[in-house]
Amino acid sequence: MGEVTSRKFSSSSSVLPYRRIVAKFGTGLLTGGSDQLNEQIISSLVSQVAKLHHQGLELVIVSSGAIALGKYKLGLPRKLGGIPYKQVLAAVGQNRLMYLYEQLFSQHNITVAQALLTKSDLSDRAGYLNARNTLLALIKLKVMCIVNENDVVAVDEIQEAKFGDNDNLSAMVANLVDADLLLLLTDIDGLYTADPHRSPDARLITQVERISPEIERLTAGTTTGTGVGGMITKIEAAKLATACGITVVIADGRKKDIMLKLVSGEALGTRFSPISSKLESRKRWMLSGLSTRGKLVVDAGAAQALEKYNRSLLAAGIRGVEGKFERGDIVNIYDIKGFHLGCGIANYSSADIEIIKGVHSKKIAALLGYDYGSEVVHRDNLVSISR
Ligand code: GLU
């Protein structure tokens, strides 16, 4: 099977190998296969998340279950048909889902936040930046962010389409927050060499180094009962995340202490190795001239702050702006001698930077009439080419 191996994942050190984790809980897992949410399962997942959180790890949850909850509450027949029906169910279920998480996390003294995202939000440059900045700020504040697709407006997901499900959403979120690990927790052990329900010789694939066409073929015809996705969307998500330098594991979320074990590197489920480093993939994305729209020229002090001290780029250090770009675009950063320092996502448009360049951050609001923060390029959104 070429790139597939079934050897054990070797985690040699006792130090936890991951710092920032996105955990996706699918509907099938949260309902335990029934027509309502299984509080025991959710409570066990929440306790594990809380434990990891209190150990200092950073977690973001992507949770399904809104539609299932809405359906249970309204008690409408399963097949009333049509997308608006499911959107209604999501609208009814989402706040119940959050209420449940709120209650469970409060037992562990953890504050929760809700972020409802859509694919189009994230493909829009300003939307991407806003979502990224908000999620990173929540992480910094130690608030547990619970993400779901905004089903009320995102039609793709609820149709039988292949994109827009919570598997792909969680890969996008993992990329957005620069996670090290994406856990796709479901109600099956992982990826098998054949359908385990039908074939007695089906073998669990414990490690995938690269998602080859053979691996993709294994997913054909697999779906889950209650969720939108199945193995196909999980492999799509794994492909996206591993290309961004993120390790992915598909595992059975009902297994005792599964998250704690996976995070410590235990070989359970199917683990997909990242195919590049996180920095590399981010660098590749930012440095690919294709997406850069403009140029900022910075003075010697700012160049040193970026290069040596890994600081954000402030307006005061900017000498010149070239090209026309919007907030959220990627810009190249040069020093006054023309040395390419790196690139980053601009928090202000070229027109704004023309006005605020060289001035103290405190004056931004007065000059523009608004203020997106003192950083013109935040260090979280900056890639130095020497780094
Ligand atoms: N967003 C949907 C929900 O909360 C579930 C989507 C999925 O299962 O992938 O019900």
Side-chain angles (χ1 to χ4, degrees), residues 196-236:
H197 302 297
R198 279 182 249 163
S199 159
D201 326 315
R203 184 173 58 86
L204 179 71
I205 299 167
T206 55
Q207 180 83 24
V208 176
E209 296 300 338
R210 192 172 276 267
I211 300 169
S212 61
E214 279 166 295
I215 292 288
E216 289 182 276
R217 270 196 292 277
L218 294 177
T219 63
T222 58
T223 46
T224 56
T226 39
V228 175
M231 245 345 130
I232 299 176
T233 52
K234 287 185 181 49
I235 299 300
E236 281 169 6

Side-chain angles (χ1 to χ4, degrees), residues 77-346:
R78 241 164 226 276
K79 292 241 179 279
L80 211 68
I83 295 149
Y85 168 63
K86 286 195 176 173
Q87 291 177 296
V88 165
L89 296 181
V92 172
Q94 181 61 30
N95 66 319
R96 291 185 155 69
L97 184 64
M98 283 310 297
Y99 180 68
L100 186 58
Y101 278 119
E102 167 96 52
Q103 290 204 310
L104 291 172
F105 274 111
S106 71
Q107 292 168 14
H108 302 275
N109 293 320
I110 297 174
T111 304
V112 298
Q114 167 185 269
L116 297 179
L117 302 174
T118 64
K119 207 174 180 182
S120 52
D121 292 333
L122 299 185
S123 39
D124 166 69
R125 56 181 177 241
Y128 177 92
L129 184 64
N130 293 340
R132 174 173 160 84
N133 289 348
T134 306
L135 294 190
L136 291 179
L138 288 169
I139 289 173
K140 226 172 250 173
L141 292 168
K142 304 207 178 306
V143 172
M144 187 62 58
C145 185
I146 299 167
V147 180
N148 197 357
E149 177 117 30
N150 191 350
D151 290 327
V152 174
V153 295
V155 186
D156 272 353
E157 167 180 348
I158 328 180
Q159 278 177 332
E160 247 95 84
K162 285 180 185 149
F163 297 102
D165 54 276
N166 274 5
D167 293 319
N168 278 288
L169 172 67
S170 64
M172 290 188 214
V173 170
N175 175 29
L176 198 68
V177 302
D178 299 327
D180 313 298
L181 177 67
L182 169 62
L183 299 178
L184 297 173
L185 296 180
T186 181
D187 52 3
I188 182 162
D189 275 330
L191 180 65
Y192 280 86
T193 52
D195 184 346
H197 302 297
R198 279 182 249 163
S199 159
D201 326 315
R203 184 173 58 86
L204 179 71
I205 299 167
T206 55
Q207 180 83 24
V208 176
E209 296 300 338
R210 192 172 276 267
I211 300 169
S212 61
E214 279 166 295
I215 292 288
E216 289 182 276
R217 270 196 292 277
L218 294 177
T219 63
T222 58
T223 46
T224 56
T226 39
V228 175
M231 245 345 130
I232 299 176
T233 52
K234 287 185 181 49
I235 299 300
E236 281 169 6
K239 226 174 160 178
L240 177 66
T242 53
C244 299
I246 302 163
T247 300
V248 179
V249 184
I250 301 174
D252 187 340
R254 297 166 304 178
K255 294 260 165 80
K256 192 171 177 334
D257 290 338
I258 185 76
M259 295 185 72
L260 307 179
K261 291 177 180 164
L262 290 174
V263 169
S264 67
E266 254 189 68
L268 291 161
T270 303
R271 187 176 294 257
F272 300 80
S273 305
I275 57 170
S276 67
S277 79
K278 272 200 303 177
L279 186 62
E280 247 173 57
S281 70
R282 202 160 177 78
K283 235 179 183 176
R284 219 182 318 120
W285 176 63
M286 287 214 199
L287 294 176
S288 67
L290 280 177
S291 45
T292 51
R293 311 240 167 184
K295 179 169 161 182
L296 297 177
V297 180
V298 305
D299 65 20
Q304 196 184 35
L306 300 185
E307 277 207 300
K308 267 202 177 158
Y309 305 110
N310 188 22
R311 298 253 168 81
S312 299
L313 175 61
L314 307 180
I318 299 177
R319 287 280 189 89
V321 198
E322 286 173 30
K324 206 169 152 12
F325 53 88
E326 295 301 322
R327 165 172 157 78
D329 279 335
I330 297 165
V331 291
N332 275 311
I333 304 168
Y334 287 82
D335 70 10
I336 32 175
K337 291 187 192 136
F339 180 73
H340 188 195
L341 296 166
C343 46
I345 307 176

